[in-house]
Amino acid sequence: MRIKCPHCGERDWSEFRYGGDATKQRPQHGTGDLKAWHDYYFLFDNPKGPHTEYWQHVLGCRQWFKLARNTATNEATGGGE
Amino acid sequence: MAKGYSIFSLARHALRPSEPWPEAWAKPEPKSNYDAIIIGGGGHGLATAYYLAKNHGMRNIAVLEKSYIGSGNVGRNTTLIRSNYMMGGNTAFFEFSLKLWEGLSHDLNFNAMVSQRGQVVLAVSPVQVDVFARRGNIMRLNGIDAELLDRGEVMKMLPYLDYSKEARWPVYGAIFQPRAGTVRHDAVAWGYARAASQLGVHIIENCEVTAILRDGDRVTGVETTRGKILSGKVGIAVAGHSSHVAAMAGLRLPVESHILQAFVSEPIKPIVHHVVSWGAELFYLSQSDKGGLVFGGHIDGFNTYTQRGQFARQQTVMECVSSLMPFAARLRLLRSWGGIQDMTPDGSPFICRTPIRGLYLNGGWCYQGFKATPASGYTYAHTIANDNEHELNRCFSLDRFEKGKELDEFGIGNWTYKQ
C-alpha cells in the first residue's frame, strides 16, 4: 500500500503509523456521562468502505494527518491536514 | 450423503473405484423459516450448529455462508491449539476447548489430525523466565499442564535454534505445554459441516446475508441473496465482518477489523517437532505433515477488509524466522495469505446476547479464533438455545467495557499502533 503524505509525497506504507478513526468526536472536557466516554473510546464504526483516519509519517516528517482510504480496497485518495 | 467413515468404508471404496464417495454434507435449498439461523459457515458457525443439534436437540436450523465452506479464517489460520492462558475466564474456557479438541475426531467421525506435539514459548531474558513461571503456576492452579524449561532443556529439545554468542535474542528458558499442538484446519470445517448435516442442519453456501430483519427490539429473520429467511433466533459468527453484519442490526461493536498474515515455506525433512513461539516478538511456527514450516506474526497494524498482506510485515516475520532459526534463512517462501481478524480493545472475544432480543454475537476473536472453535461452538449453542450465557462464556459479554470488566489477556487489542 502507498500513502501520500501531504508534506513529503507518496511513500510506502511501512514509513507510516496508523492512528485510528479520525471522525470520532471526543466528549467535552469534564463530561460526566461515562456512556459517552465508553462509546468514544471503545466503539468503532469499522466500515467496509470509505474511512477517514489518522496516520503519522513516523519515518519522514513525523507529522500527523488525515487520510481518506477505502478499507475494502486499501485505495487511499491522499492525505489532508 | 456419507454416513460413517471407517476402515471398512475405506476398503470398500478402494475396491470399487467406480463408486465415488458421496458428498460429505447435503446442499439443500433454503427454507423460508428456521428455529435458528447462524450467519457464517466458518469453524465457529458450523460448530455452533453442530452443538445446537447435538446438545440442545434443535434440528430445524440453518448455517448461511456467503461463499463456500472453508473459504474464511478456518482455512487461513496457522492451525495451533493451546490453552496457556492466565486470566480468570480465559483459562477455563480455552482448557475446555483443548479437552474438546482431544476427543473431536471420534466425536465427529472425521479425522481432524489432532497432533498434541507440545508448544514451547521461548524466554529471551531472565525477567521473561520469571513471567513465564508465574504464567505456568497460574495455569497449573487451573488444572492446565505447564512446565518451565531451562536453557539446557531447550537446547536438547530444539537443537536447531541459534544458541551462539552472537544470537540477537539469547534463549534463557521456555514455558512448555505438552498438550498443545496442531490440527488440520480444513478437516475441522468439513468434519463439523458433515456431522451437523447428518443431524439435519441445513448448510447453505453462496448465501450472503444482506439485512437483518427486526420487529421493534426483536429479531425476526434475515434478508439474503437467496431470499428472505425468517427465524426468531439469529446468531452472528462472521469473524472479520462482525462490525459489518452487526451494523445491519444497528449495532456498533468494540471491534476493528485488521489483517493477519500467515506463511508456508517449501517442504523440508522433519526438524521442528513442536510448536515454537517466541518471547521477543509475536511469532509462532510449526512444521506441517507435508514438511513446510507454517508461521505467522503480528497483524499489519491498520484496519482493512482486504485479504492482501503488506510486504513490510512479511519482511518483519521473515526476520523473526531467520533470527530464531538461522537454517531457515535459506528456505524459499512457498505461499503467504491474509485473514481478517476482528480485534477487540482487550484482546478477548464476545460470545453473548446483544441488546436486540433473539440476536446473538460470536466474534472479536483477535488472534485466537481457531483454537477456540469447539468451546466457542459449544457455549454459543448454549447461549442461543437457552437465551442465556453458559458459565464458561459469561466473561465474554458485550458490555464488559462499560462495567470495567475487561479481560486484558493480550493487553493491547486492536491498538497496536498506540504502543
Side-chain angles (χ1 to χ4, degrees), chain B residues 141-401:
Chain B
L141 283 171
N142 284 283
I144 305 167
D145 57 326
E147 292 168 25
L148 200 62
L149 308 179
D150 63 25
R151 180 177 161 95
E153 289 168 308
V154 178
M155 288 175 87
K156 266 186 217 151
M157 273 176 79
L158 316 175
Y160 46 81
L161 299 183
D162 185 0
Y163 297 105
S164 68
K165 279 184 181 156
E166 293 75 38
R168 173 67 183 84
W169 300 100
V171 175
Y172 281 82
I175 187 171
F176 179 50
Q177 187 184 17
R179 285 163 61 242
T182 64
V183 178
R184 185 185 179 205
H185 55 196
D186 297 319
V188 175
W190 300 334
Y192 271 121
R194 172 172 167 274
S197 181
Q198 288 184 351
L199 291 174
V201 173
H202 278 193
I203 294 165
I204 299 162
E205 296 168 82
N206 301 310
C207 179
E208 183 172 358
V209 170
T210 53
I212 293 176
L213 306 172
R214 286 165 61 177
D215 177 15
D217 69 342
R218 258 211 90 80
V219 76
T220 57
V222 294
E223 198 76 62
T224 76
T225 49
R226 294 176 67 175
K228 186 192 281 188
I229 305 176
L230 297 179
S231 179
K233 286 176 184 280
V234 175
I236 301 172
V238 294
H241 280 72
S242 292
S243 296
H244 183 68
V245 174
M248 295 176 192
L251 295 177
R252 273 176 93 210
L253 301 182
V255 160
E256 219 177 21
S257 296
H258 285 252
I259 181 170
L260 180 66
Q261 302 192 60
F263 309 90
V264 174
S265 77
E266 61 183 321
I268 52 173
K269 286 183 179 175
I271 175 165
V272 181
H273 306 298
H274 310 85
V275 176
V276 181
S277 301
W278 204 20
E281 175 70 79
L282 182 64
F283 175 75
Y284 33 93
L285 181 145
S286 65
Q287 188 169 15
S288 77
D289 294 334
K290 279 191 282 187
L293 301 181
V294 183
F295 53 96
H298 254 301
I299 51 177
D300 280 9
F302 61 92
N303 58 336
T304 182
Y305 284 85
T306 68
Q307 288 170 322
R308 296 188 306 272
Q310 300 296 323
F311 183 71
R313 172 60 65 203
Q314 299 186 359
Q315 190 176 2
T316 311
V317 176
M318 297 316 133
E319 283 164 0
C320 289
V321 188
S322 50
S323 172
L324 192 61
M325 306 176 181
F327 77 89
R330 289 168 58 198
L331 293 181
R332 278 162 295 191
L333 192 65
L334 196 64
R335 290 188 295 132
S336 74
W337 62 93
I340 304 304
Q341 320 276 92
D342 35 346
M343 302 296 293
T344 60
D346 60 355
S348 292
F350 304 108
I351 306 177
C352 55
R353 291 169 287 170
T354 69
I356 297 162
R357 286 168 64 205
L359 184 68
Y360 305 90
L361 174 68
N362 178 330
W365 284 102
C366 305
Y367 299 87
Q368 53 198 354
F370 179 68
K371 69 187 68 62
T373 305
S376 164
Y378 193 99
T379 55
Y380 196 35
H382 179 100
T383 305
I384 293 173
N386 299 304
D387 195 37
N388 203 349
E389 279 76 23
H390 188 277
E391 62 176 299
L392 285 171
N393 65 319
R394 211 165 283 283
C395 299
F396 302 151
S397 68
L398 199 52
D399 59 1
R400 65 174 180 262
F401 302 104

Side-chain angles (χ1 to χ4, degrees), chain A residues 1 13-14 17-20 35 38-39 41-48 51 53 55 69 71-74, chain B residues 241 243 252-257 300-306 308 310 312 345 401-402 406 414-415 417 419:
Chain A
M1 186 167 79
W13 152 80
S14 56
R17 173 164 71 160
Y18 175 66
K35 185 83 173 63
H38 166 271
D39 291 359
Y41 197 69
F42 288 114
L43 299 189
F44 302 87
D45 285 337
N46 192 22
K48 185 178 186 177
H51 192 237
E53 56 209 16
W55 286 82
R69 180 175 59 96
T71 61
T73 62
N74 280 352
Chain B
H241 280 72
S243 296
R252 273 176 93 210
L253 301 182
V255 160
E256 219 177 21
S257 296
D300 280 9
F302 61 92
N303 58 336
T304 182
Y305 284 85
T306 68
R308 296 188 306 272
Q310 300 296 323
F401 302 104
E402 284 176 54
E406 295 98 330
N414 55 335
W415 291 313
Y417 50 87
Q419 279 196 314

